[in-house]
Amino acid sequence: MSHLFKIIMISTVSLNAFFMVLWTDYKTRYKLFRLFEVSELIFVSIYSSEFCMKLYVDPIDYWKDGYNVLDVVIIITVFIPYGLRKFKGKHYPYLNIADGIQSLRILKLITYSRGIRTLITAVGQTVYTVASVIILLFVLMYIFAILGFYLFGVPDGGDMNNWGNLAVAFFTLFSLATVDGWTDLQHQLDARNFTLSRTFTIVFILLASFIFLSMFVGVMIIHTEDSIKKFERELMVERHMTLMEEKQVILKRQQEEVSRLMQRRKNVDYKSFSELVENFKKTLRHTDPMVLDDFGTSLPFIDVYLTTLDNQDTTICKLQELYYEIVHVLNLMLEDLPQKKQSHSSENVDEK
């Protein structure tokens, strides 16, 4: 389950796939034949060792995982060519098929890639829906195959190569459904002056290609999007769990440090509490992550923040009212000041 082991296995499978590509070139196979033989032994040994280690660690639950069963099937296919060469000889006619299925080794990457497993899960969820679409398409092709056989497959002047029997008619309709070479098929029908051929071709292509195949693609896209969203939710949950575990480890270590310092405080006389705090700060690590997961979007924080803003607005409002009152008082004082000066001057004149 370690990350290093996964990297080693992914590199091994990728290198094996690259060597199999080189093996398909006869000149390269001739020049590097000894290297290919040695590398094949190494790859088979690594695959076998991986299987034995996983089976040793969990011999019962190992068989409950479908991807582990896939690995076992791949390992069996790896040993098939060796068995055929041993018991049937190098000139066994089906030996090429056994060598060809060695390309299944690249499927071992599925075990170590969560993204690929997500897509496979999406494909698996669409089995029943896709099967229904395929059955409807088969029914449609059956109807048009019978109709095409009786319209264009008549012995006298009919297109026997494309509509001569039901099997050939099905193959022709498959070509029309994929819109592959349908113009050539239509030219052959036009050459025999079939009046309904164009209507037949257009209606079938509209139904089979534009409706049923689009429906098939739409079903695949919908289930793939659902699987990707589920995969993203799982990643978020795993990330949250990892952060919580790190937080618990940090809090536990800090609690142990505080307990140890408090115990030392009983045994050693500190001059002040600040000295105890300074000693605790020395135990903190700069590499410790600060777990503030969604702090700024938590409901308690938003409540406190909005309450603080309200209090701040109220304080500003009161300060403005106070300033207005001060300005008003000063204005009244300035208005009264000339009158006092005049009264004071008139009193002086009277005294004189």
Side-chain angles (χ1 to χ4, degrees), residues 56 59 86 152 181 209 211 235 283 307 312 338:
Y56 174 77
K86 182 69 175 179
F152 315 125
S209 181
I211 295 179
L235 289 180
T283 63
T307 305
Q312 185 179 1

Side-chain angles (χ1 to χ4, degrees), residues 152-187:
F152 315 125
V154 292
D156 298 333
D159 188 1
M160 302 299 295
N161 294 327
N162 296 318
W163 305 96
N165 54 60
L166 195 61
V168 174
F170 261 101
F171 186 79
T172 303
L173 290 174
F174 182 78
S175 299
L176 292 176
T178 57
V179 200
D180 181 23
W182 70 274
T183 54
D184 297 333
L185 295 172
Q186 184 59 41
H187 285 321

Side-chain angles (χ1 to χ4, degrees), residues 14 34-35 264 324:
S14 301
R34 185 59 60 185
L35 175 63
R264 287 181 58 188
Y324 291 150

Side-chain angles (χ1 to χ4, degrees), residues 76-98:
I76 292 173
T77 59
V78 167
F79 287 100
I80 287 176
Y82 296 98
L84 292 178
R85 288 187 176 90
K86 182 69 175 179
F87 297 103
K88 299 292 185 178
K90 296 182 179 181
H91 302 287
Y92 186 65
Y94 298 106
L95 186 61
N96 292 332
I97 299 176

Side-chain angles (χ1 to χ4, degrees), residues 205-337:
I205 290 177
L206 287 175
L207 292 175
S209 181
F210 290 93
I211 295 179
F212 282 95
L213 293 183
S214 299
M215 189 186 304
F216 176 82
V217 174
V219 168
M220 295 295 295
I221 290 175
I222 291 172
H223 285 277
T224 302
E225 288 180 351
D226 293 339
S227 298
I228 291 175
K229 291 179 181 178
K230 182 180 178 181
F231 175 66
E232 291 176 351
R233 289 195 297 268
E234 291 176 355
L235 289 180
M236 291 296 295
V237 171
E238 290 181 2
R239 177 178 175 274
H240 179 72
M241 294 301 296
T242 303
L243 289 175
M244 293 302 296
E245 290 176 0
E246 292 179 357
K247 181 179 179 181
Q248 292 298 326
V249 170
I250 294 170
L251 292 178
K252 184 178 180 181
R253 180 172 60 79
Q254 292 179 355
Q255 289 175 357
E256 292 175 354
E257 293 291 342
V258 171
S259 300
R260 185 175 61 82
L261 289 174
M262 296 301 294
Q263 187 67 29
R264 287 181 58 188
R265 185 185 180 188
K266 295 179 180 179
N267 299 328
V268 181
D269 292 333
Y270 287 97
K271 295 181 180 180
S272 62
F273 181 76
S274 61
E275 184 179 354
L276 178 64
V277 174
E278 291 296 329
N279 288 328
F280 173 70
K281 289 181 179 180
K282 294 178 182 179
T283 63
L284 300 177
R285 302 174 185 176
H286 296 289
T287 57
D288 289 342
M290 296 182 65
V291 184
L292 298 176
D293 189 22
D294 295 335
F295 176 73
T297 58
S298 61
L299 292 178
F301 173 79
I302 293 173
D303 187 25
V304 172
Y305 181 70
L306 293 178
T307 305
T308 305
L309 290 179
D310 292 337
N311 293 331
Q312 185 179 1
D313 293 338
T314 304
T315 304
I316 292 174
C317 234
K318 290 181 178 180
L319 286 175
Q320 288 177 349
E321 292 177 356
L322 181 61
Y323 293 155
Y324 291 150
E325 291 179 359
I326 292 173
V327 170
H328 181 65
V329 170
L330 291 174
N331 188 22
L332 292 176
M333 292 175 65
L334 290 174
E335 290 177 353
D336 294 339
L337 185 60

Side-chain angles (χ1 to χ4, degrees), residues 337-351:
L337 185 60
Q339 296 178 359
K340 290 181 179 180
K341 285 183 178 181
Q342 291 177 0
S343 61
H344 182 67
S345 61
S346 62
E347 289 176 358
N348 290 333
V349 170
D350 293 337
E351 289 178 355

